[in-house]
Amino acid sequence: MTSESDLSHILAQLSSLPPHSTQTASLLSKAKLTLLHLNALIPGPDTPASLLLLARRTLETGALISIRNQNPDAFTRYYQQLQPFYELPPSSYSASSSKPSEEEAAGQRSKVTGLYLLLLLTKGDYAGFHTLLEGLEVQAMGEGLEGDVFIRYPVMLEQWLMEGQYDRVWGAVKGKGVPSEEFAVFSEVLVVTIRSEIASCSEKAYPSLPVPNAKNLLFLDSEGSVVKFAQERDWVVKDGRIYFPLQQGQDVRTEKEILVASGQVIENTIGYARELETIV
């Protein structure tokens, strides 16, 4: 007969495995099947506190493993399954009348929610991002979220993206400010997002750019990467320069128009590109 001890044993096995072990998928399936047999996949009014803790821990473990395996769809499913557990009052996780510990009350909700915010950001789902953030602010009841490193990280990135401060986003995803290894998984995805935004701005702001400048501007590793990226966007590369196609219905741009079109977005990025040139 399936018991809580069986689930605890499976979770102990999962925690002892390396991040990308081939055994994690089968163990997670076994853990969720155990939850199903214990009628705890969805929390109920009669679910014991000890089983609630194990069930939430199982789903949180699955969510974090999904991120490490770069499986956003699986992570999203785990995130959705966790919501009924996160909506429970903290007292539900206490086996006695005493106040539950902070770890019992919250689990890894902050980390999982922060990762979901970051996932929405990488998808460009700004409406979903702000809807979730507003809900978190209401739940915080005016206490603010600034002190939560897992929530603050995606919030800062979103603000910098909206302001066109791509250099700060780049510094954050490549620096020591990443809250945990799971958040680092999104680094390359965000860099692709930044690169696409800069490329679109560059097309509108400049008739052409030297390939070396474009390399730094687009955060690419080599001039060969620049040529490949240019070909993917149907840019023309000739005599060491990239020539951007004119937008439909657009006449040849004057120098003044180019400066106006570039705006703060390009200024911020070029400033960082110059810093890179001093390093490379």
Side-chain angles (χ1 to χ4, degrees):
M1 184 177 178
T2 304
S3 66
E4 289 184 31
S5 61
D6 295 326
L7 186 55
S8 296
H9 178 66
I10 296 170
L11 290 174
Q13 287 180 289
L14 276 169
S15 62
S16 67
L17 292 175
H20 302 289
S21 172
T22 55
Q23 299 178 50
T24 55
S26 60
L27 283 172
L28 278 172
S29 296
K30 189 176 179 181
K32 292 184 72 173
L33 188 60
T34 303
L35 281 179
L36 189 62
H37 288 157
L38 293 171
N39 197 28
L41 204 53
I42 299 174
D46 299 322
T47 309
S50 57
L51 186 52
L52 284 175
L53 286 167
L54 285 171
R56 186 184 63 187
R57 183 182 161 199
T58 299
L59 297 175
E60 287 176 336
T61 299
L64 297 178
I65 287 175
S66 297
I67 286 294
R68 292 173 196 147
N69 291 336
Q70 299 184 28
N71 189 339
D73 292 335
F75 170 76
T76 299
R77 289 194 293 271
Y78 278 111
Y79 173 82
Q80 292 168 344
Q81 290 175 315
L82 278 163
Q83 296 319 295
F85 291 89
Y86 289 158
E87 290 168 1
L88 293 173
S91 57
S92 301
Y93 293 99
S94 178
S96 64
S97 58
S98 61
K99 184 179 179 180
S101 67
E102 185 175 341
E103 182 179 357
E104 287 177 333
Q108 299 207 62
R109 179 180 184 178
S110 178
K111 178 186 280 191
V112 171
T113 304
L115 285 165
Y116 188 68
L117 281 169
L118 197 51
L119 176 61
L120 292 175
L121 200 57
T122 60
K123 289 182 173 181
D125 186 358
Y126 296 105
F129 181 95
H130 285 285
T131 298
L132 176 54
L133 188 59
E134 287 169 11
L136 294 174
E137 289 171 344
V138 170
Q139 292 171 14
M141 293 182 294
E143 293 182 7
L145 301 168
E146 295 81 5
D148 189 329
V149 64
F150 296 119
I151 303 299
R152 188 175 69 244
Y153 181 73
V155 169
M156 286 192 309
L157 293 180
E158 190 270 344
Q159 180 181 345
W160 292 334
L161 282 171
M162 292 298 96
E163 294 173 352
Q165 298 191 57
Y166 301 127
D167 55 322
R168 301 191 72 175
V169 178
W170 173 268
V173 300
K174 293 297 184 182
K176 296 180 180 179
V178 180
S180 72
E181 62 174 305
E182 292 86 10
F183 283 81
V185 172
F186 288 103
S187 295
E188 187 56 37
V189 179
L190 274 175
V191 168
V192 170
T193 300
I194 295 168
R195 189 173 291 135
S196 179
E197 291 286 344
I198 294 172
S200 297
C201 292
S202 300
E203 289 173 342
K204 296 179 178 71
Y206 300 103
S208 67
L209 278 176
V211 169
N213 288 24
K215 178 175 78 75
N216 288 338
L217 190 66
L218 296 167
F219 305 111
L220 290 167
D221 297 327
S222 67
E223 293 187 8
S225 299
V226 176
V227 172
K228 182 179 178 182
F229 183 81
Q231 291 171 342
E232 291 171 355
R233 294 188 69 96
D234 294 324
W235 294 344
V236 175
V237 181
K238 183 179 179 181
D239 299 328
R241 294 187 72 89
I242 290 175
Y243 292 87
F244 303 115
L246 289 173
Q247 304 299 308
Q248 187 173 4
Q250 186 178 28
D251 296 325
V252 177
R253 290 155 286 193
T254 66
E255 184 176 350
K256 181 179 180 181
E257 288 172 333
I258 291 168
L259 290 173
V260 171
S262 62
Q264 191 62 42
V265 172
I266 298 297
E267 288 178 19
N268 286 339
T269 315
I270 286 181
Y272 187 68
R274 287 184 181 131
E275 291 179 21
L276 282 179
E277 287 178 336
T278 65
I279 298 171
V280 175

